Amino acid sequence: MLKKVMNETTLEEKIAVGTGLVKADLVLKGGRVFNVFTGKWETADIAVSGTTIAGIGTYNGQKEYDVSGKYLTPGFLDAHIHIESSMLAPRELAKVLLLNGVTGIFADPHEIANVLGLAGVRFMLRETEDIPLSVYFLAPSCVPSTNMETSGAALSAGDLEQLLSEERVLGLGEVMNYPGVLQRFPDVMAKLKLLDTEIKDGHVPGLTGKNLNGYIAAGISSDHEASLPEEAKEKLARGMYLLLREGSAAHNLLDLLPIVNKTNCRRCCLSTDDRHLDDLITKGSINYMVEIGVTHGYSVERLLTMATLNTAERFRRYDLGALAPGYQADINVFSNLVNFQPEMVVKSGQIIVKKKQLQWDSVPVSELPLPSMDMEELTEQSFKILPEAGKLLQVITVQQDQLLTGKAALPPLVKDGNVISNPEIDLLKMAVCERHHHTGNIGLGFVQGFHLKRGALASTVAHDSHNLIVIGTNDKDMVFAANVLRESGGGLVAVEDGKVLGSIPLVVAGLMSECKAETVFQQLKELNYWTHELGVPEDINPFMLLSFLALPVIPSLKLSDQGLIDVDQFCQIPLWTK
């Protein structure tokens, strides 16, 4: 993957360096080296030949760096990430991750696949070639995630078979349609049978007992959706890898760390899943997870192993995740074991971060995908809801720091024959508008928990089909916000009284920006400022929270372009109830 960037050496040269017969290309001298195999620290030099670690001990090199008193660890690995959720194109995200000491990621590109199909996945493969970050993919197994939503594309078993021929596609991405697995749907079975002995990632929030057994029996060997300790313990006991997650909307790390012990820790990995750019820049990535774990009293050695070797072995990348001879020379250098922002990062034998400054710059997106907005102009009539006498609204209730949602039955507020938002009780109208095929589908519902007091928020990031999603305190602003995104090609926007307050254009499939990370970060800061000015509390990430309200595979209640979805019953339900 890095042939054009990194210089490789011959096998004979590596052996000669390892045995001390010739000088290494690079030596980091005198650091405290973390051994992931023993869980111990040793003071030693690390000798690098080309892209590979050739020896640990005492060495001389063509280039030498004194790292005495510093702490050296393997480069961090993210066990489950959606690149698209950063809102950056892959090469720009690579810059941010490298500054955080992340040298490898295992990505599921099902976000862009739901919009653009195979062309979207191939775009991601092209954009991650020949960069100083190891990027591996899992073939998206659920595009769309269910038949209760309208996606931009659908991937069959035959499509996945094409992807699996790619060198950096390691297996099957998260299998979200667990009812399809348990009920043995033919299309789901066809995908699972493509990989009888290969890697299959899971996605099963709350699944337990015999149903969990059946799911794992399909060869699915990991899960990142556990949010409760007992759930996590059961999944570990049944042989799954547990991917502890700390995203921007789902914060599960500290809830699950108490169940990680000396025996089961080798089956635990760290993942960010969906993490916004502002969190990546201001807090960090996998390094942030290690940092907050240490801050709360958990073993740094155990956390470092979860951030490196465990993930490498889970994905059978036996050249990653350790500081030892024969392993790829991916090395983080820290000044202490409290703050995990690395001073230096070596990637495949080259210094990529030095004195916390990036030594590599990305190039612009090579070729933008085709525009991805195909929908009609919206009017206030589009969002009109007629009341039903004597009935209550079935309302989605959001839970802070979780992707799980609850349910409530609340009385409607009616004006001029239209059911409207009621900000006084934090009851907001919500719409999901199909944007891929000009169907005109619009799902309408209500949500509680955003605390928006004025205006409207809209986004074309709405997992997993990524239709246009909008919430607001009034229909007029909702329509305005939705039409702004329709005309701009997608993105995120906050509006009030017919004016755009803040926005982020996402011209790459309505999911990612073509701009530099610094530009997108500034746009996001301004957007966050205005959402809080409109009433959303500062401890809520409204756009990340909003993006998951259309995902009909995470309980309990969601809204798609086809209507209200009861995920527990896995069926569409009416908006009204008695």
Side-chain angles (χ1 to χ4, degrees):
M1 179 172 60
L2 303 173
K3 291 178 182 176
K4 296 179 183 177
V5 181
M6 309 299 182
N7 295 319
E8 186 53 278
T9 53
T10 66
L11 182 61
E12 290 80 4
E13 288 170 324
K14 294 173 188 174
I15 295 170
V17 171
T19 55
L21 295 176
V22 300
K23 285 186 175 182
D25 295 321
L26 171 69
V27 176
L28 302 183
K29 295 191 70 68
R32 299 191 64 188
V33 179
F34 179 57
N35 189 319
V36 292
F37 306 112
T38 66
K40 305 294 184 182
W41 299 86
E42 56 183 301
T43 300
D45 302 341
I46 299 180
V48 177
S49 175
T51 64
T52 306
I53 295 173
I56 307 290
T58 303
Y59 287 91
N60 296 315
Q62 304 290 341
K63 293 181 180 179
E64 296 183 352
Y65 287 87
D66 183 0
V67 290
S68 301
K70 309 293 185 183
Y71 296 86
L72 279 58
T73 75
F76 294 147
L77 302 172
D78 194 328
H80 180 73
I81 182 175
H82 298 290
I83 292 171
E84 304 92 321
S85 291
S86 71
M87 298 183 291
L88 295 179
R91 297 175 194 173
E92 278 300 298
L93 176 61
K95 291 164 54 178
V96 178
L97 293 180
L98 289 165
L99 285 167
N100 285 309
V102 177
T103 57
I105 62 175
F106 299 86
D108 188 330
H110 71 214
E111 316 297 358
I112 198 167
N114 268 284
V115 179
L116 300 175
L118 283 177
V121 180
R122 292 193 172 115
F123 168 81
M124 301 296 268
L125 284 163
R126 285 197 311 273
E127 289 297 305
T128 52
E129 288 178 349
D130 305 319
I131 65 173
L133 178 75
S134 295
V135 182
Y136 300 96
F137 291 99
L138 285 299
S141 67
C142 297
V143 177
S145 61
T146 74
N147 62 1
M148 295 180 288
E149 56 191 322
T150 306
S151 64
L155 296 186
S156 66
D159 294 323
L160 299 186
E161 197 165 23
Q162 292 183 49
L163 291 176
L164 291 166
S165 66
E166 298 280 352
E167 181 181 1
R168 289 188 287 122
V169 179
L170 303 182
L172 199 62
E174 54 181 313
V175 183
M176 296 179 289
N177 188 358
Y178 59 87
V181 175
L182 300 178
Q183 297 174 42
R184 305 179 297 283
F185 291 171
D187 60 328
V188 178
M189 294 300 100
K191 293 173 183 178
L192 290 170
K193 289 175 182 178
L194 287 172
L195 296 156
D196 283 339
T197 60
E198 297 298 326
I199 296 161
K200 302 185 183 83
D201 262 2
H203 173 117
V204 277
L207 199 66
T208 61
K210 290 185 176 178
N211 282 342
L212 179 61
N213 288 335
Y215 184 82
I216 298 172
I220 302 166
S221 52
S222 73
D223 183 64
H224 59 275
E225 288 293 337
S227 58
L228 299 174
E230 288 305 312
E231 173 190 359
K233 284 162 63 174
E234 182 177 358
K235 287 172 177 174
L236 280 169
R238 295 295 170 263
M240 293 187 113
Y241 276 90
L242 181 69
L243 312 186
L244 289 80
R245 173 176 61 187
E246 190 69 18
S248 286
H251 302 280
N252 306 126
L253 179 68
L254 293 178
D255 291 332
L256 301 184
L257 273 177
I259 65 101
V260 179
N261 57 44
K262 185 177 180 180
T263 302
N264 66 25
C265 68
R266 289 288 278 112
R267 303 289 287 186
C268 298
C269 309
L270 302 183
S271 76
T272 61
D273 196 6
D274 297 282
R275 197 156 175 82
H276 261 185
L277 176 61
D278 51 350
D279 283 335
L280 289 169
I281 288 180
T282 62
K283 296 178 180 177
S285 176
I286 298 299
N287 60 322
Y288 173 70
M289 299 181 72
V290 175
E291 188 171 308
I292 61 174
V294 170
T295 300
H296 284 79
Y298 295 98
S299 162
V300 64
E301 291 81 12
R302 190 171 292 172
L303 286 159
L304 288 171
T305 305
M306 291 162 63
T308 56
L309 183 65
N310 293 4
T311 299
E313 292 186 348
R314 186 272 174 282
F315 289 103
R316 305 178 190 176
R317 295 303 313 176
Y318 299 118
D319 59 334
L320 303 177
L323 301 181
Y327 280 77
Q328 196 160 282
D330 298 347
I331 308 164
N332 287 335
V333 180
F334 300 101
S335 59
N336 57 61
L337 295 179
V338 177
N339 183 330
F340 286 89
Q341 188 77 37
E343 291 187 0
M344 177 186 289
V345 177
V346 176
K347 173 59 190 162
S348 296
Q350 291 195 359
I351 296 173
I352 296 298
V353 175
K354 186 177 181 181
K355 296 182 179 179
K356 298 187 179 182
Q357 299 296 312
L358 197 64
Q359 307 297 300
W360 171 80
D361 195 10
S362 65
V363 296
V365 175
S366 59
E367 182 182 345
L368 287 175
L370 294 172
S372 58
M373 298 293 290
D374 185 9
M375 59 183 291
E376 62 189 14
E377 185 175 1
L378 300 168
T379 68
E380 289 186 49
Q381 188 65 30
S382 305
F383 296 159
K384 188 171 184 178
I385 298 175
L386 298 177
E388 294 194 13
K391 291 189 176 181
L392 301 175
L393 291 166
Q394 300 208 71
V395 176
I396 300 170
T397 59
V398 298
Q399 300 182 42
Q400 190 174 338
D401 296 337
Q402 299 294 338
L403 304 185
L404 301 170
T405 59
K407 309 174 185 177
L410 298 174
L413 177 63
V414 181
K415 182 179 180 181
D416 299 328
N418 178 32
V419 182
I420 62 173
S421 296
N422 187 355
E424 293 297 320
I425 61 169
D426 189 25
L427 183 63
L428 301 178
K429 186 179 283 189
M430 174 179 168
V432 178
C433 312
E434 194 276 323
R435 71 167 171 110
H436 308 295
H437 306 295
H438 210 95
T439 65
N441 288 354
I442 300 177
L444 296 173
F446 284 83
V447 64
Q448 192 173 48
F450 278 85
H451 306 288
L452 190 70
K453 303 299 184 186
R454 308 184 313 276
L457 311 178
S459 172
T460 52
V461 180
H463 303 282
D464 275 336
S465 289
H466 297 292
N467 288 304
L468 193 156
I469 188 167
V470 56
I471 60 171
T473 59
N474 63 88
D475 289 7
K476 189 173 183 178
D477 276 338
M478 289 176 67
V479 169
F480 177 70
N483 282 329
V484 166
L485 295 186
R486 171 185 174 272
E487 294 162 9
S488 67
L492 280 56
V493 68
V495 309
E496 183 184 16
D497 295 332
K499 295 180 181 179
V500 173
L501 302 178
S503 68
I504 304 176
L506 301 176
V507 299
V508 183
L511 301 174
M512 294 173 284
S513 173
E514 62 177 331
C515 297
K516 294 282 189 180
E518 297 81 1
T519 299
V520 182
F521 181 53
Q522 186 60 39
Q523 292 170 336
L524 186 54
K525 283 173 64 178
E526 292 174 2
L527 184 63
N528 286 338
Y529 168 81
W530 284 112
T531 60
H532 301 319
E533 283 291 300
L534 294 175
V536 178
E538 291 192 3
D539 59 353
I540 290 179
N541 186 325
F543 283 97
M544 185 61 81
L545 201 58
L546 184 63
S547 72
F548 284 99
L549 294 185
L551 181 56
V553 292
I554 296 183
S556 287
L557 200 59
K558 295 292 191 289
L559 181 70
S560 82
D561 67 297
Q562 298 180 23
L564 203 58
I565 308 297
D566 186 321
V567 183
D568 299 321
Q569 302 299 319
F570 214 63
C571 65
Q572 189 172 339
I573 61 172
L575 177 61
W576 298 96
T577 186
K578 293 182 179 180

